[in-house]
């Protein structure tokens, strides 16, 4: 039996690329066997969190879409960057200039945005125009001590029509232009994974992260002391298996295969 699957009390699942492949129209296609795998996890008694860097919509709309695909999921089970960023903004009295997707703006409804003293960047998709990036640049460059908060740092993700640039590419552009280091809220930030573990009430050594991103999912989780699996779905590419720094505890063809192995150990 697989040593990596022993003594597990909780699972953290990436969403896009593990449960489904997103679509440019806001929809998407479930990955074969993933909805049933989620149901099996829940009936097994294992603790479960859905850990996503999704920043193109509110958690409520995101969950509604997933439930429409047949997934048993609720808003309370989702750990996402925007709510964490809102807590940070309020704690530090920061007023953001938002460079995010239009559908995510409601997550920041209770945050003061007048006279911005920081920039928050997410996966803005079509809002990543030159004019919008330049406006964010001007806000940052005009500060004595620029504060750039990024809702993730992914390089790209997969939609049904192919790979798409993610927020990390645009974050790096602003970092370079403004000579600033972004504060990342979301995977692979250690605080993001620690928050998900705390919400489950499971220590890192008894949890497994399952994701399609070798750096942000697998590497981030392992740095927190978790085991981490990479699925060969979503943005996975064969070259990931030769990554110079990150080595998953195992590769699995899909979520269903991982769940099969884990549940055999219970």
């Amino acid at each position: 039996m697989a040593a990596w699957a022993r003594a597990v009390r909780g699972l953290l699942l990436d969403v896009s690329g593990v449960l489904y492949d997103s679509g440019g129209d806001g929809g998407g296609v479930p990955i074969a066997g993933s909805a049933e795998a989620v149901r099996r996890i829940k009936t097994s008694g294992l603790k479960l969190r859905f850990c996503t860097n999704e920043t193109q919509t509110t958690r409520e709309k995101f969950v509604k879409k997933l439930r429409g695909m047949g997934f048993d999921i609720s808003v309370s089970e989702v750990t996402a960057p925007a709510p964490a960023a809102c807590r940070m903004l309020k704690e530090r009295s920061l007023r953001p200039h938002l460079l995010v997707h239009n559908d995510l703006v409601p997550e920041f409804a209770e945050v003061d945005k007048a006279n911005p003293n920081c920039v928050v960047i997410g996966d803005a998709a079509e809002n990543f125009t030159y004019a919008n990036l330049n406006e964010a640049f001007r806000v940052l460059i005009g500060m004595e001590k620029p504060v750039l908060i990024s809702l993730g740092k992914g390089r790209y993700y997969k939609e049904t029509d192919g790979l798409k640039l993610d927020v990390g590419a645009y974050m790096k552009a602003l970092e370079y232009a403004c000579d600033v280091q972004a504060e990342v809220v979301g995977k692979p930030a250690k605080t993001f994974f620690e928050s998900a573990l705390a919400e489950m009430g499971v220590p890192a050594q008894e949890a497994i992260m399952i994701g399609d991103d070798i750096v942000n999912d697998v590497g981030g989780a392992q740095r927190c002391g978790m085991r981490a699996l990479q699925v060969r779905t979503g943005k996975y590419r064969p070259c990931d298996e030769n990554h110079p720094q990150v080595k998953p505890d195992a590769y699995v063809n899909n979520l269903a295969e991982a769940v099969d192995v884990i549940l055999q150990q219970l």
Side-chain angles (χ1 to χ4, degrees):
M1 303 294 278
W4 57 262
R6 294 174 183 157
V8 178
R9 289 180 50 213
L11 297 179
L12 291 78
L13 304 184
D14 181 28
V15 180
S16 178
V18 174
L19 301 188
Y20 81 112
D21 286 324
S22 60
D25 58 356
V29 177
I31 294 169
S34 56
E36 177 61 24
V38 170
R39 284 193 287 272
R40 292 180 67 200
I41 293 168
K42 291 196 167 187
T43 58
S44 73
L46 290 171
K47 298 291 185 68
L48 177 63
R49 294 297 295 179
F50 298 93
C51 295
T52 179
N53 270 2
E54 170 64 49
T55 57
Q56 287 195 8
T57 188
T58 62
R59 284 178 300 163
E60 287 76 10
K61 288 185 178 180
F62 183 56
V63 164
K64 183 178 180 180
K65 177 175 74 173
L66 289 168
R67 291 182 69 88
M69 294 182 194
F71 290 99
D72 180 3
I73 180 173
S74 64
V75 172
S76 64
E77 295 173 311
V78 176
T79 302
C86 288
R87 289 193 295 271
M88 174 191 291
L89 294 168
K90 290 178 180 178
E91 288 168 1
R92 293 166 55 181
S93 299
L94 292 172
R95 303 178 302 278
H97 169 84
L98 298 176
L99 178 51
V100 300
H101 197 283
N102 290 341
D103 289 344
L104 189 70
V105 172
E107 289 274 20
F108 296 88
E110 297 182 7
V111 174
D112 183 4
K113 294 177 282 291
N115 189 25
N117 58 2
C118 72
V119 167
V120 172
I121 183 173
D123 181 11
E126 284 73 18
N127 280 351
F128 279 135
T129 63
Y130 174 80
N132 288 343
L133 279 165
N134 198 55
E135 185 178 4
F137 159 74
R138 286 177 170 175
V139 172
L140 285 170
I141 206 71
M143 298 177 190
E144 183 178 351
K145 294 182 179 180
V147 176
L148 174 61
I149 297 170
S150 186
L151 306 179
K153 60 182 293 187
R155 295 175 296 165
Y156 54 86
Y157 56 93
K158 183 183 178 183
E159 289 193 339
T160 50
D161 61 346
L163 299 177
K164 302 292 179 71
L165 278 175
D166 203 350
V167 62
Y170 303 95
M171 177 196 82
K172 287 293 184 182
L174 291 175
E175 283 186 332
Y176 177 69
C178 301
D179 193 24
V180 63
Q181 182 74 42
E183 300 177 50
V184 177
V185 180
K187 297 175 292 186
K190 187 176 182 181
T191 53
F192 185 84
F193 288 106
E194 289 174 341
S195 176
L197 288 168
E199 288 161 354
M200 285 198 304
V202 173
Q205 64 270 23
E206 296 180 0
I208 293 178
M209 174 73 200
I210 302 175
D212 68 328
D213 189 313
I214 186 71
V215 174
N216 293 328
D217 294 331
V218 175
Q222 288 178 332
R223 283 193 295 275
C224 288
M226 282 186 275
R227 286 160 279 177
L229 311 182
Q230 186 177 19
V231 291
R232 295 187 176 102
T233 56
K235 70 168 67 173
Y236 164 84
R237 294 190 297 164
C239 63
D240 290 343
E241 302 198 22
N242 298 312
H243 195 280
Q245 282 88 41
V246 183
K247 305 296 179 187
D249 290 87
Y251 294 94
V252 290
N253 289 320
N254 49 47
L255 175 61
E257 180 181 300
V259 171
D260 280 342
V261 177
I262 292 166
L263 295 189
Q264 286 173 15
Q265 300 276 19
L266 295 181

